[in-house]
Amino acid sequence: MPTSTSAHRQIRIVITGHVDHGKSTLIGRLLHDTGSLPDGKLAELEAVSARRGVPLEWSFVLDSFQAERDQAVTIDTTQIWFRTATRDVVIIDAPGHREFLKNMVSGAAAADAAVLVVDAAEGLRDQTRRHAYLLHLLGLRQVAVVINKMDAVDHSAARFGALSREVERYLAGIGLTAAAILPISARHGDGIAAYSDALGWFGGPTLLEVLDRFDAARPAVDRPLRFPVQDVYRTDGRRIVVGRVESGILRVGDRLLFSPSGRNARVTGIEVYGTAVPPMEARAGQAVGFTLDEPVYVERGDLASHEDYPPQLTDVFRIRLFWFAARPLAVGDRYTLRLATRRVGVTVQTVEKIVDTDTLATRTGTVVARNAVAEVILRTDTLVALDGHADNPATGRAVLVDGGDIVGGGIVGMEGYPDQRRLMAAPRTANLHRVDHLLTPEVRARRLGHRGAVVWLTGLSGAGKSTLSMRLEQRLFALGYHTYVLDGDNVRRGLNADLGFSPADRAENIRRVGAVAALFADAGMVAVTAFISPYRADRARARAAAEAAGCPFVEIYVKASLDTCERRDPKGLYAKARAGALPDFTGISSPYEPPESPDLVLDTEVEDADACVARAVAFLTTRLGLSVPDSTPDGV
Amino acid sequence: MSRDPVSSDLEELEARTLYILREAFAEIRPLAMLWSIGKDSTALLWMVRKAFFGRVPFPMVQLDTGMELPEVYEFRDAMARDWNLDLQVVDCPPEEVMDPTLPPGGRAAARKTEGLKALLRTHGYKGIFLGIRRDEQSMRAKERVFSPRGEDGAWNFKDQPAEFWDQYKTEVPEGAHLRIHPLLHWTELDIWRYTRQEGIPIVPLYLARDGMRYRSLGEKNITVPIPSTAATIDEIIAELETSRTPERAGRTMDHESEDAFERLRRSGYM
C-alpha cells in the first residue's frame, strides 16, 4: 500500500466505558483542546449549562437530545470530526448504559481504535469490562485506556498504579494489550493535550500523542479476493455484476468462482461509470461492477473469489456472538443470518458456552440472555460461503435478524468443522462417462438371496461401534448374508492412509468410506460401517451415495454419553486428547453432531452388546425386507 | 501522476455511498430521493448516476415551498433536462396551517415535513434517500444510515436499530418508511473536494459575489448569505479549511431554541 496519502485517511476512534466515567466530557475536551469547536459553541455550552444551573458541561457537545441532557446520559452513538496536528479523526461516542449496548456496538464496529475510559474513583465496572470484551470481539486490537477524573483521587500515583494493574490483568485475560494506560482529568483538560504539574509525576504520553500513533484500518488488498455480489444490473444489453471488493484485487481476465453455486466465468471488463478508460483492476475497498464472458447465473448473495483461494462452504459453524434482543436466544430458535450480502435461514444448534464478561468465567446453558456473549453453533438451511474471521474479517462475521431487526452478531470460527467444498466436488475431469453394468441388482439379489445395503453406525469414540459392528457381521453371516464391515481403524491403514484428523481430512475419510460402502452394496453385500462420522452433512452424503446406487441406507446411532465413553476409553484416546496431544478429538476439541432422526438407536449404556445386536438384526431383517435364505443357521 | 485507486480518501467515501445506494436499491421498493438542489444532494445525485451506470432509477423529489431563490429553480430545470431525471415537485402546504407554537424558521421547516408526509401518503414510498451529513448538526450526527420512521414520519431516536458491518435494517411495517442517508459519513469539506474533483455542477449562489455567498442553501426567508470572498470552489475549500464558523450559521431555525431542531427531526423533518 502506498503511504504517501495515509495522512489524509481519517482514523475512527470509539470512546467506550462505563456510564458516568466521563466519555462525553472527554470528547468535548478533545474538541476544545484541538481547537475543533466551532465558533460560538463554547458560548452556547456555557449558556445551556447556566440555564440548567450546572458548571460548564462539556458533554453537551455530544449529548444533543433533550433526554440526554436532562438525564445526563448518552443514549445513542454519535460521530464528530476533529483534527490533530497530523490527521483527521472521527470520534465515535458510544453510550455506556447497559441497555444501550446495541448502540455501543453500532458505534464501535465502525472504529479503527478505541479509548476505554475508567473512573479513577470508581475503578473498573461491569460495563468497562463488557466494553473491553466487545471491542476485542469486534476485532479491535488498538486500545488505549485512560484513568479519568484523577482530580477526584488527589492525582494519586498509587491509585493510578493499582487501577493500571487491574486493567492490564483483565485485558490479558481476553488476549489484549493496551497501547497505553494514561492518567487524565478530562473536565480540566489534564493529560489530553498536555499534563499539568498535578499529574507531572506520570511523564508518559498525552492522549493526543497516543491517538496520533494509532493506525487507520487499510482495505485488505493482501488477502485473497472476496467480492460479495450486491446485485446484477442489465444496462445497455450488458449484465453488470455489482458490489464492493472486500479483499484482494479483481483484474480483467481473472477466472472467478461464485460460491456456493460453484459456477465460474471470466471477467471481461470492469465497469466504472464516467471514466474514459475503463480500469483493468479493482482493489479492496472499491465499489465497482464487472461483466463476464459467459452468461452464468449469478445473484445477490453470491460470493466471488479466485478459483485457487475460495471461501469455505459449510452449513454449520461456530459464532462468537453478542446478543441484544429482549427475547433470549435459545437452542432450536430460527433466525435469518446475514453474511455480507447473503441471507439464509439458520437454526441455533448448540449453545457451547456463555461468557461472564465480568469474571471471564464460562458456563454451559441452552439460553443466551440479552446483552450476553456466547459461543454458539449455527446450522444454515443451505450451504453458505464464508471464511474464519481470522482469515478474512469481512466474510467471517455475520448478524442475526429476527422479525426484520438485527438482534445479534458475531465472528465466525470454523475450528472443528470441515470445508464441504471439496467433498461435494464434481469429478475433476469432464471426460467421464457412466458405464452401466450388464448385471442388474435384481439378478445379483437372486443369486445371493438378498439385496445389498449400507448399515451405517455412528457414535462417539468408545460408544461401542466396532464391537457391535463385528458381532452384527458375524450374526448376519451366520444367517446367510453376504456382509463385510468397514471399520475406521482398518480403512485408515490402506485406502485412507494419506488422511489425517483435521476436520477436512475426517470429512474426506467419510466421503471415501461412503463411496466404497455404496460400491459394496451395489455388489450385493450388506456393508456395515463403524465410523465416528461426527458431521451430519457427511452422513447425509454417504446416504446419498448409497441411494444413488439404488441401495437402502440404514443409520444406526450407537449412543453413549461422553462421560461413559471417556470412562471406557478403550484406546486411551480420551486421555491423550485431554492432555492436549490430539488436537481434533471428537467430543473434546471437535464437535459430534448426533443424528436427528436415526433409523435405529442402540443405547450401549442401557443395553448390553447381545441385546443391541439382537435388536439390530431384528430391525434389519424387517426393515430391509431381507429374505432369509432357506439354509439353517449354524449355531451362532 | 499515477493514481492508486484506493489511496484517495474521497474514493473510499464514494465507494461507501455507492454501496449504500445499491443495498437500498436491492432491498427496498419503491424508492425516491429528496433533492433539495443544494450541494450535498446534488453530489449524491451524481453518485446515484455512478452507482447505476448513468441511470437514475427512481424519482427525484423536490419539496417546494415556492420560496427558493430563482437560481435554484433554474438549476433544477437545467439538471432535470440534462440528466433525464424523473422529477417530482411537491408543493408544500402553506405556513398558516403549521403548528403556531413553532418559531418562524421551524414553521418553514415544518412545511417541508408536511410536504414529505403528503408525498409518502400519495406514492407509498418505502425508502427515501436524503443527503444529510453527520457533521452538519448534532442531531443528524446520531442518525443511522437506514433510519426507520413511523407512520406519522416520527423518529424514535431512543430506540434506533442496531447497524454495523454494513448490515442495515431494511424492513419496516406497513405504513412506515426508511430514511436512507448515504452521505452521513461525509463532511462539508469532503463534499466540496469531491465536487471539485468530479466537476459536479452547483447552483452559482455558493460562489461569492460582492463579498457574500451562501454556505448553506435554504429558502430565501430563512437562509442568509455569509461574508466571503470565495468565488471558486478552490477558494471555498481554502476558506473552509481555516473557518470555525458552523456551516448552518446562516440558518435561522437551528438557533431559535435549544431543542428546536430536535422537535423538528422527531416529528419527521429531514
Side-chain angles (χ1 to χ4, degrees):
Chain A
M1 288 297 296
T3 53
S4 57
T5 55
S6 58
H8 283 292
R9 193 185 292 272
Q10 62 188 22
I11 184 165
R12 293 162 297 191
I13 297 173
V14 65
I15 313 289
T16 61
H18 196 80
V19 61
D20 284 341
H21 282 197
K23 296 181 295 299
S24 299
T25 305
L26 172 62
I27 295 168
R29 195 72 211 199
L30 272 172
L31 295 173
H32 178 260
D33 288 5
T34 53
S36 307
L37 282 184
D39 286 347
K41 192 71 186 180
L42 188 57
E44 182 197 316
L45 291 182
E46 283 166 345
V48 171
S49 303
R51 198 152 61 228
R52 287 162 185 268
V54 294
L56 177 62
E57 187 45 79
W58 292 105
S59 64
F60 286 177
V61 174
L62 295 150
D63 291 339
S64 51
F65 295 139
Q66 289 297 304
E68 293 179 317
R69 291 179 175 185
D70 289 345
Q71 298 173 26
V73 163
T74 303
I75 292 174
D76 214 326
T77 182
T78 192
Q79 297 187 13
I80 196 157
W81 281 252
F82 77 95
R83 281 182 177 184
T84 70
T86 60
R87 63 175 160 196
D88 292 346
V89 180
V90 183
I91 286 289
I92 303 168
D93 182 29
H97 263 91
R98 185 188 166 86
E99 62 185 294
F100 304 133
L101 192 75
K102 76 175 190 302
N103 297 342
M104 180 269 173
V105 170
S106 295
D112 303 312
V115 175
L116 184 65
V117 182
V118 181
D119 185 314
E122 276 198 13
L124 268 70
R125 295 289 303 277
D126 56 337
Q127 293 305 301
T128 319
R129 296 190 181 91
R130 191 187 303 270
H131 283 190
Y133 195 95
L134 285 169
L135 293 175
H136 185 69
L137 206 162
L138 290 166
L140 275 169
R141 296 295 177 266
Q142 305 182 97
V143 179
V145 181
V146 292
I147 309 294
N148 188 25
K149 306 189 191 179
M150 286 300 293
D151 52 313
V153 294
D154 300 326
H155 305 97
S156 160
R159 176 68 181 156
F160 172 73
L163 277 177
S164 297
R165 284 189 293 279
E166 195 185 341
V167 169
E168 277 171 351
R169 261 199 312 279
Y170 182 81
L171 294 184
I174 57 175
L176 201 59
T177 308
I181 304 180
L182 313 171
I184 66 162
S185 171
R187 181 167 302 283
H188 304 287
D190 204 354
I192 309 293
Y195 280 99
S196 71
D197 289 345
L199 289 173
W201 49 262
F202 179 60
T206 63
L207 180 58
L208 280 176
E209 284 168 344
V210 173
L211 297 188
D212 265 340
R213 287 193 293 220
F214 283 144
D215 294 321
R218 306 272 145 192
V221 173
D222 301 336
R223 294 181 194 268
L225 173 70
R226 295 290 182 264
F227 185 98
V229 173
Q230 263 189 298
D231 220 329
V232 181
Y233 298 153
R234 291 183 174 280
T235 305
D236 307 330
R238 290 166 303 158
R239 286 170 76 239
I240 304 179
V241 181
V242 300
R244 185 171 58 195
V245 183
E246 294 293 346
S247 60
I249 302 173
L250 173 83
R251 293 189 174 88
V252 173
D254 282 355
R255 193 152 186 86
L256 296 185
L257 171 70
F258 294 90
S259 298
S261 72
R263 296 185 181 92
N264 51 50
R266 200 173 291 282
V267 177
T268 47
I270 291 172
E271 302 274 339
V272 175
Y273 179 73
T275 50
V277 184
M280 292 304 287
E281 64 174 40
R283 301 161 71 97
Q286 287 190 291
V288 295
F290 58 80
T291 49
L292 295 168
D293 65 343
E294 288 177 61
V296 294
Y297 183 69
V298 173
E299 61 183 334
R300 175 169 166 81
D302 285 354
L303 183 56
S305 68
H306 291 134
E307 292 182 309
D308 291 349
Y309 299 99
Q312 302 198 55
L313 282 186
T314 189
D315 60 359
V316 60
F317 59 92
R318 179 180 295 105
I319 189 164
R320 290 181 67 198
L321 180 87
F322 41 88
W323 187 252
F324 37 65
R327 189 164 73 87
L329 169 141
V331 169
D333 281 355
R334 299 269 309 155
Y335 298 99
T336 298
L337 180 90
R338 286 204 217 159
L339 198 152
T341 55
R342 176 90 170 160
R343 288 162 180 237
V344 61
V346 70
T347 306
V348 179
Q349 179 172 306
T350 316
V351 175
E352 287 195 318
K353 53 185 169 189
I354 299 164
V355 181
D356 180 332
T357 53
D358 254 352
T359 61
L360 297 181
T362 61
R363 62 183 176 82
T364 54
T366 55
V367 170
V368 180
R370 185 172 182 207
N371 294 336
V373 174
E375 289 192 11
V376 170
I377 305 294
L378 297 178
R379 182 168 292 277
T380 50
D381 294 350
T382 57
L383 284 180
V384 289
L386 47 67
D387 292 288
H389 184 261
D391 295 327
N392 204 324
T395 44
R397 60 197 184 196
V399 302
L400 291 175
V401 176
D402 187 17
D405 288 320
I406 295 171
V407 287
I411 61 177
V412 171
M414 285 298 291
E415 309 83 29
Y417 286 103
D419 181 2
Q420 293 175 30
R421 177 181 302 280
R422 56 187 263 206
L423 301 162
M424 43 174 268
R428 285 174 192 233
T429 167
N431 299 318
L432 285 179
H433 304 281
R434 191 184 167 92
V435 180
D436 290 325
H437 290 270
L438 298 175
L439 295 175
T440 64
E442 291 71 29
V443 169
R444 291 182 200 275
R446 265 204 303 281
R447 164 75 59 84
L448 297 172
H450 61 86
R451 296 199 53 157
V454 173
V455 179
W456 192 277
L457 273 55
T458 173
L460 290 168
S461 177
K465 296 181 300 300
S466 293
T467 307
L468 294 183
S469 64
M470 294 308 173
R471 296 189 55 174
L472 187 58
E473 180 188 41
Q474 191 184 33
R475 277 285 287 147
L476 291 173
F477 187 79
L479 289 168
Y481 292 98
H482 301 258
T483 180
Y484 189 76
V485 172
L486 298 168
D487 180 78
D489 285 349
N490 297 348
V491 169
R492 278 182 176 276
R493 286 173 202 274
L495 175 67
N496 292 350
D498 58 327
L499 297 177
F501 288 88
S502 70
D505 276 2
R506 300 179 70 165
E508 172 64 8
N509 184 45
I510 298 307
R511 186 192 70 82
R512 292 185 196 173
V513 169
V516 171
L519 289 174
F520 268 73
D522 192 34
M525 311 275 283
V526 177
V528 181
T529 72
F531 293 81
I532 299 171
S533 48
Y535 308 113
R536 215 172 277 165
D538 293 344
R539 299 191 300 265
R541 206 174 286 115
R543 177 185 292 274
E547 288 174 352
C551 300
F553 181 95
V554 177
E555 187 177 45
I556 299 181
Y557 179 26
V558 182
K559 189 179 172 190
S561 71
L562 182 62
D563 281 350
T564 300
C565 293
E566 198 166 353
R567 209 163 43 244
R568 290 176 186 163
D569 204 8
K571 300 169 189 168
L573 296 175
Y574 284 100
K576 274 192 196 171
R578 288 288 183 201
L582 293 178
D584 287 299
F585 195 74
T586 302
I588 307 296
S589 50
S590 195
Y592 178 75
E593 302 171 8
E596 273 177 327
S597 47
D599 297 293
L600 184 66
V601 179
L602 300 177
D603 191 330
T604 62
E605 288 184 62
V606 174
E607 290 179 297
D608 66 12
D610 283 341
C612 287
V613 171
R615 272 206 311 123
V617 169
F619 179 85
L620 289 172
T621 48
T622 317
R623 170 72 181 267
L624 298 176
L626 299 177
S627 63
V628 180
D630 278 341
S631 60
T632 311
D634 52 2
V636 175
Chain B
M1 190 187 102
S2 79
R3 215 169 56 146
D4 185 308
V6 288
S7 65
S8 151
D9 60 335
L10 287 180
E11 285 194 310
E12 194 177 319
L13 294 170
E14 182 201 71
R16 191 164 172 73
T17 298
L18 298 193
Y19 189 87
I20 293 164
L21 288 167
R22 288 169 173 165
E23 280 298 284
F25 188 65
E27 296 282 341
I28 301 158
R29 303 283 166 86
L31 284 168
M33 177 177 142
L34 293 192
W35 181 35
S36 74
I37 339 285
K39 64 185 189 308
D40 301 310
S41 56
T42 303
L44 179 57
L45 173 52
W46 181 267
M47 284 183 265
V48 169
R49 297 172 78 233
K50 282 197 163 188
F52 305 105
F53 302 98
R55 285 191 316 135
V56 179
F58 36 77
M60 290 292 124
V61 176
Q62 186 206 4
L63 301 174
D64 191 10
T65 55
M67 295 295 283
E68 301 289 351
L69 293 149
E71 290 89 340
V72 172
Y73 291 111
E74 278 170 37
F75 182 83
R76 177 193 74 187
D77 294 339
M79 297 315 299
R81 188 184 59 236
D82 291 354
W83 287 352
N84 192 27
L85 304 177
D86 173 5
L87 177 68
Q88 296 180 356
V89 176
V90 175
D91 292 323
C92 297
E95 187 159 341
E96 300 84 79
V97 301
M98 295 301 115
D99 177 359
T101 68
L102 278 171
R107 281 203 294 279
R111 293 183 62 197
K112 288 202 170 183
T113 308
E114 291 310 314
L116 176 59
K117 287 178 185 173
L119 173 82
L120 290 164
R121 275 195 302 273
T122 318
H123 291 86
Y125 291 121
K126 295 298 279 182
I128 298 283
F129 289 111
L130 287 148
I132 65 164
R133 308 186 323 267
R134 283 205 175 96
D135 76 325
E136 280 179 272
Q137 208 279 336
S138 57
M139 293 289 297
R140 289 181 172 172
K142 300 234 176 199
E143 269 288 4
R144 297 287 193 266
V145 179
F146 283 57
S147 181
R149 292 300 203 273
E151 269 186 56
D152 50 354
W155 181 35
N156 183 5
F157 65 88
K158 288 185 185 173
D159 188 20
Q160 297 203 73
E163 182 167 272
F164 50 94
W165 297 337
D166 299 313
Q167 299 291 354
Y168 307 108
K169 180 172 175 68
T170 53
E171 294 169 43
V172 287
E174 198 57 39
H177 71 281
L178 288 153
R179 302 276 173 90
I180 305 154
H181 303 131
L183 293 185
L184 271 189
H185 55 293
W186 294 67
T187 64
E188 183 186 14
L189 194 52
D190 294 333
I191 291 289
W192 281 118
R193 287 165 56 231
Y194 185 73
T195 300
R196 175 177 65 180
Q197 173 186 293
E198 300 284 307
I200 303 171
I202 51 161
V203 179
L205 293 168
Y206 285 110
L207 304 174
R209 262 187 325 196
D210 306 327
M212 302 292 275
R213 73 176 190 91
Y214 284 87
R215 185 165 164 197
S216 175
L217 208 51
E219 284 85 345
K220 55 192 173 191
N221 53 336
I222 56 164
T223 325
V224 293
I226 56 159
S228 168
T229 57
T232 65
I233 297 182
D234 280 335
E235 287 166 6
I236 291 177
I237 290 168
E239 180 184 281
L240 290 177
E241 277 175 339
T242 53
S243 168
R244 288 180 55 181
T245 311
E247 179 180 8
R248 295 174 67 97
R251 295 253 193 178
T252 51
M253 62 182 227
D254 290 21
H255 312 289
E256 286 170 328
S257 76
E258 192 187 322
D259 66 344
F261 203 88
E262 177 173 341
R263 284 175 63 195
L264 286 168
R265 280 197 75 72
R266 236 174 21 206
S267 66
Y269 184 64
M270 289 67 76

